[in-house]
Amino acid sequence: DIQMTQSPSSLSASVGDTVTITCRASHSVRRFLNWYQHKPGKVPKLLIYAASSLQSGVPSRFSGSGSGTDFTLTISSLQPEDFATYYCQQTYITPPETFGQGTKVEIK
Amino acid sequence: EVQLVQSGAEVRKPGESLKISCEGSGYNFTTYEIAWVRQPPGKGLEWMGIIYTGDSDTRYSPSFEGQVTISVDKSINTAYLQWGSLKASDTAIYYCARRETYYYDSSFGTYFDYWGQGTLVTVSS
């Protein structure tokens, strides 16, 4: 299996801050990397696919970058509705299409 | 409107069997794969396996191979996840998700674009 490691596991930030979450793969996944947002009691929501392609309807303050083994999700000007847990997922090697362990973004 | 509707919460004892369902609507069910994703209490998302709804071919994560069975009934647009003998460690929310495919740089990538609402499975004596 390809292992996906996110950092940090959690962070505290204020509304208006820029937040960066990183995801590292144990082997190259080229650019086959997705990002999801998951709020308590809700279903996960796709934000980014192919490392940097914004899913339709997702605000442009979300952006993704990276290739190979190192990827980044950036949230510019954090909004109250952005407090959630974020997961990366590789889909280059399947099965399984591994998720990272998650990064919880909390209000400071 | 695309929808995945899962069956309701279940409570079972260790050793019991269980089958939960995921019904798709609003799209051509057999042209998309359905995956199952587990979320234990307080933990992250785990990819369990996937079924190709057109031909019922399945792929499992090594962590779940032999522990669960994924199946489909195309006639009623429904995918299933079942256990033969539940353990307390199977307590979790289980999501089904539709897998979309895209073409990029001479290869195919995938992502989950629609999710079921989740089914809470509680296994306790």
Side-chain angles (χ1 to χ4, degrees):
Chain A
D1 298 5
I2 292 185
Q3 308 303 315
M4 307 300 292
T5 303
Q6 291 181 229
S7 60
S9 295
S10 64
L11 64 91
S12 296
S14 301
V15 173
D17 285 351
T18 293
V19 165
T20 299
I21 299 168
T22 64
C23 177
R24 175 163 287 176
S26 59
H27 297 87
S28 174
V29 298
R30 295 173 60 189
R31 288 178 60 85
F32 296 105
L33 192 286
N34 306 324
W35 289 98
Y36 298 87
Q37 176 192 67
H38 194 195
K39 298 179 181 178
K42 303 289 187 183
V43 303
K45 174 185 175 182
L46 176 70
L47 301 175
I48 303 279
Y49 65 95
S52 61
S53 295
L54 196 66
Q55 172 68 345
S56 176
V58 173
S60 59
R61 62 180 180 274
F62 291 93
S63 63
S65 64
S67 66
T69 60
D70 294 302
F71 301 87
T72 299
L73 173 70
T74 300
I75 312 172
S76 304
S77 188
L78 199 67
Q79 297 300 299
E81 61 268 29
D82 300 336
F83 293 96
T85 299
Y86 293 85
Y87 295 92
C88 62
Q89 180 204 23
Q90 71 80 22
T91 66
Y92 182 55
I93 300 294
T94 180
E97 296 172 352
T98 336
F99 291 95
Q101 83 278 15
T103 295
K104 187 173 184 179
V105 177
E106 299 175 298
I107 302 173
K108 183 183 285 185
Chain B
E1 178 194 6
V2 174
Q3 283 194 304
L4 295 175
V5 178
Q6 297 184 226
S7 49
E10 302 275 5
V11 179
R12 293 285 189 276
K13 291 182 167 53
E16 293 186 339
S17 63
L18 177 64
K19 190 174 188 177
I20 63 175
S21 66
C22 169
E23 181 181 0
S25 62
Y27 71 101
N28 188 339
F29 184 74
T30 58
T31 59
Y32 292 84
E33 297 90 55
I34 294 288
W36 287 93
V37 175
R38 182 174 85 169
Q39 185 177 35
K43 297 190 176 180
L45 304 174
E46 300 172 290
W47 192 97
M48 301 177 69
I50 197 157
I51 189 159
Y52 295 79
T53 52
D55 63 5
S56 300
D57 190 22
T58 54
R59 298 283 186 269
Y60 295 94
S61 165
S63 298
F64 292 94
E65 180 95 54
Q67 308 304 307
V68 296
T69 301
I70 296 172
S71 60
V72 67
D73 185 338
K74 291 187 291 186
S75 69
I76 55 171
N77 290 356
T78 300
Y80 301 96
L81 177 66
Q82 69 181 92
W83 295 260
S85 180
L86 285 158
K87 309 179 189 66
S89 56
D90 293 320
T91 295
I93 297 174
Y94 292 87
Y95 295 99
C96 63
R98 189 181 84 163
R99 191 171 78 169
E100 173 66 279
T101 301
Y102 62 92
Y103 188 71
Y104 176 82
D105 193 19
S106 306
S107 295
F108 289 97
T110 63
Y111 54 77
F112 297 141
D113 57 353
Y114 290 92
W115 296 67
Q117 81 277 20
T119 296
L120 174 63
V121 173
T122 303
V123 184
S124 174
S125 53

